[in-house]
Amino acid sequence: MRYLESIMEQVVRRNPNEPEFHQAVKEVLESLEPVARMNPQWLQAGIFDRLVEPERQIIFRVPWVDDNGKVQVNRGFRVQFNSAIGPYKGGLRFHPSVNLGIIKFLGFEQIFKNSLTGLPMGGGKGGSDFDPKGKSDGEIMRFCQSFMFELARHIGENTDVPAGDIGVGSREIGYMYGMYRKIRNEFTGVLTGKGLDWGGSLVRTEATGYGLCYFMDEAMTAIKGRSFKGSTVVISGSGNVAIYAAQKASELGGKVVALSDSNGYIHDPDGINLDTVKRIKEIERKRIMEYIAYHPNATYTEGCMGIWNIKCEIALPCATQNELDENAAKTLVANGCFAVGEGANMPSTPEAVELFLKEGVVFGPAKAANAGGVATSGLEMSQNSIRYSWSFEEVNAKLRSIMIGIYRNASEAAKEYGMENNLVAGANIAGFMKVANAMYAQGITY
Ligand code: NDP
Ligand code: 2IT
């Protein structure tokens, strides 16, 4: 459709040097063509033009003092993308690759993901080019405090509620929450992913990985009559999402044989021992290659892309954007992989996605498949609001039913628009409809 094409051209012109943002917007706009044709009132109201422009983008200086007494300066970001259906909600990423384009792609995806959860959350994302690797606890704390000193003026439990993402886990959330509490002199649910003793929710730590497996199990059963049971599973990454995806995939009967980090991957044909992985990654904060010291049958290979050469039936990319390209997709398909579930945000390149859809691979796109993390953040917000906490079983049951609901909504939307089993289109359409309706009903404000 010419109209949507012209919006895409405008996005590229207005936001040069932001390839990841272009990639995310292009995929969504392409999916929305049939919807745009059936709803001319949305074109009239400029819904699409407004959707691709963040409501607000904040960039700030983050100075901190390292252990040698030297002043370091990083750049902080918070992109408040869309608040039509609820307060901005989305994680904070601390990684040297962070720039405005990365945060915008993540914030844009978050709008539709959060809408799919069915909970009242708008889309946002933030972070910094700070590299937590090799930093002392004291350095991490001073950085987090400085970051929050500025961020605090832009967020609030009814305005914008950040959480974790790459490089931001419970330790960082703790340091940031402490600073927020001191600045505002209030104890509110302004961040999610908090510790269980101070307002956090059970299952939030496990939620993204667990949710990914609940979603994929439902999709694989519905589309192919298959499941994790008896399947070999390869998972990239070895952080929060990868670890708990591995745990749930195993519980559901899968055999997880590989994990990775940005340096390389481990392959354990006996099945990965998660107790070892958790000790190395969560307690010792070391590299995944340490694993082979404890498991003699396991091997370590340098370079993270090679992980997709390992033969498997199910692949779960859980590390970072564009980590699975067309060649990797071809290898996976040739090796008999029948399902791919995106735990990371936008891990598959557009060419890889196209190939999976063409080959009839059950493909769970990130904004649907990894929505369990933010869904459980939404449940944390609910518990904070009613000043109560639900049991592990209650939260887990809610998470599972949300993930199954997301699969069904995406699947139905795909079918309704003549693209059966195309969950990319289905998730984009289902996520978009609610946001578009809300923006339309609320008039031309943002
Ligand atoms: P963590 O920081 O816990 O782990 C990240 C993992 O990915 C590490 O193993 C890391 O390896 C690897 N990784 C990061 N960057 C790169 C890179 N450039 N190249 C190769 N490997 C890389 O983060 P999470 O597990 O929380 O996040 C993983 C993905 O899941 C991200 O895409 C995130 O946006 C997404 N996600 C996270 C959610 C959450 O609730 N945490 C929710 C939904 C999605 P290394 O240690 O070498 O850097
Ligand atoms: O990408 C994501 O959905 C997250 N990093 C989780 C966001 C959140 O607010 O829990």
Side-chain angles (χ1 to χ4, degrees):
M1 191 189 218
R2 186 58 212 137
Y3 181 69
L4 293 184
E5 279 167 20
S6 74
I7 289 181
M8 190 62 225
E9 285 158 16
Q10 166 86 333
V11 165
V12 174
R13 217 177 311 122
R14 214 181 230 168
N15 309 280
N17 309 317
E18 296 180 3
E20 293 85 2
F21 180 53
H22 303 164
Q23 183 182 335
V25 174
K26 188 161 188 276
E27 184 207 271
V28 170
L29 289 183
E30 281 173 359
S31 298
L32 296 179
E33 273 210 36
V35 180
R37 245 181 268 117
M38 287 173 70
N39 294 279
Q41 79 282 9
W42 286 347
L43 306 194
Q44 188 74 31
I47 297 290
F48 298 93
D49 311 62
R50 290 191 275 146
L51 191 71
V52 298
E53 185 69 15
E55 289 175 11
R56 195 173 296 106
Q57 312 181 47
I58 301 144
I59 305 183
F60 51 99
R61 181 201 296 162
V62 189
W64 55 282
V65 181
D66 70 17
D67 286 348
N68 298 321
K70 187 172 182 303
V71 176
Q72 302 281 347
V73 178
N74 284 99
R75 187 170 285 181
F77 301 89
R78 188 71 184 167
V79 172
Q80 300 180 328
F81 222 118
N82 194 301
S83 60
I85 64 168
Y88 309 107
K89 180 84 195 88
L92 297 169
R93 177 177 291 192
F94 293 169
H95 193 273
S97 64
V98 163
N99 57 42
L100 184 60
I102 297 272
I103 299 299
K104 278 167 69 182
F105 117 65
L106 291 162
F108 185 72
E109 290 283 288
Q110 202 82 45
I111 303 170
F112 310 100
K113 184 195 301 194
N114 294 3
S115 164
L116 283 168
T117 67
L119 301 172
M121 300 181 289
K125 200 85 186 187
S128 174
D129 58 3
F130 173 74
D131 186 358
K133 276 199 201 90
K135 302 289 190 296
S136 70
D137 239 24
E139 289 176 322
I140 299 277
M141 181 176 76
R142 293 193 295 279
F143 174 80
C144 287
Q145 290 177 336
S146 178
F147 184 84
M148 183 51 87
F149 204 90
E150 172 64 30
L151 188 68
R153 68 179 86 228
H154 307 290
I155 62 177
E157 60 172 341
N158 296 314
T159 307
D160 184 356
V161 183
D165 193 80
I166 291 177
V168 178
S170 58
R171 175 181 58 170
E172 292 74 21
I173 293 291
Y175 292 146
M176 287 190 276
Y177 191 73
M179 196 59 176
Y180 183 86
R181 198 164 55 76
K182 176 162 184 176
I183 294 168
R184 290 286 175 92
N185 192 27
E186 62 179 37
F187 195 104
T188 45
V190 69
L191 297 177
T192 59
K194 298 186 291 302
L196 296 178
D197 297 325
W198 40 279
S201 173
L202 286 158
V203 198
R204 178 62 188 88
T205 302
E206 298 86 353
T208 312
Y210 277 22
L212 171 65
C213 294
Y214 295 146
F215 180 94
M216 289 308 292
D217 220 39
E218 186 71 14
M220 293 186 289
T221 308
I223 298 171
K224 295 238 157 138
R226 297 178 71 171
S227 69
F228 280 103
K229 223 182 197 91
S231 298
T232 300
V233 187
V234 163
I235 302 180
S236 64
S238 50
N240 173 264
V241 180
I243 289 175
Y244 292 95
Q247 182 162 315
K248 187 53 75 177
S250 310
E251 276 174 36
L252 294 172
K255 184 178 183 186
V256 179
V257 297
L259 286 175
S260 64
D261 59 26
S262 56
N263 295 114
Y265 63 91
I266 52 161
H267 181 199
D268 189 343
D270 299 337
I272 298 278
N273 182 316
L274 271 182
D275 290 337
T276 308
V277 173
K278 284 187 189 173
R279 193 178 66 243
I280 295 169
K281 299 304 296 186
E282 295 183 338
I283 299 169
E284 298 170 358
R285 296 183 185 275
K286 288 190 176 153
R287 311 302 297 162
I288 199 65
M289 71 174 296
E290 302 286 329
Y291 182 92
I292 57 168
Y294 304 97
H295 301 277
N297 283 345
T299 54
Y300 174 75
T301 311
E302 282 288 332
C304 51
M305 291 295 275
I307 193 171
W308 309 119
N309 296 329
I310 299 171
K311 188 172 160 54
C312 65
E313 274 107 29
I314 301 170
L316 304 176
C318 295
T320 194
Q321 63 275 355
N322 293 324
E323 55 162 317
L324 196 168
D325 64 11
E326 189 179 16
N327 278 334
K330 280 185 186 153
T331 308
L332 283 169
V333 171
N335 283 341
C337 173
F338 74 88
V340 176
E342 296 190 317
N345 284 306
M346 207 168 78
S348 315
T349 64
E351 297 77 22
V353 175
E354 201 184 314
L355 188 102
F356 290 140
L357 295 178
K358 193 175 106 222
E359 296 289 337
V361 171
V362 178
F363 182 72
K367 60 173 76 67
N370 75 26
V374 75
T376 308
S377 278
L379 299 175
E380 183 172 330
M381 291 165 73
S382 306
Q383 293 167 86
N384 291 164
S385 296
I386 57 174
R387 299 192 189 282
Y388 191 70
S389 48
W390 297 318
S391 69
F392 191 95
E393 290 70 29
E394 281 173 290
V395 181
N396 194 32
K398 285 181 169 56
L399 166 63
R400 188 161 179 274
S401 94
I402 289 172
M403 296 315 294
I404 291 173
I406 294 176
Y407 169 71
R408 295 199 177 140
N409 287 342
S411 171
E412 272 160 31
K415 198 167 178 184
E416 189 183 333
Y417 287 90
M419 294 174 278
E420 197 165 357
N421 294 335
N422 180 341
L423 299 175
V424 175
N428 286 335
I429 293 170
F432 168 77
M433 296 300 267
K434 200 169 129 186
V435 177
N437 276 322
M439 288 174 74
Y440 188 72
Q442 292 173 34
I444 314 218
T445 49
Y446 279 117

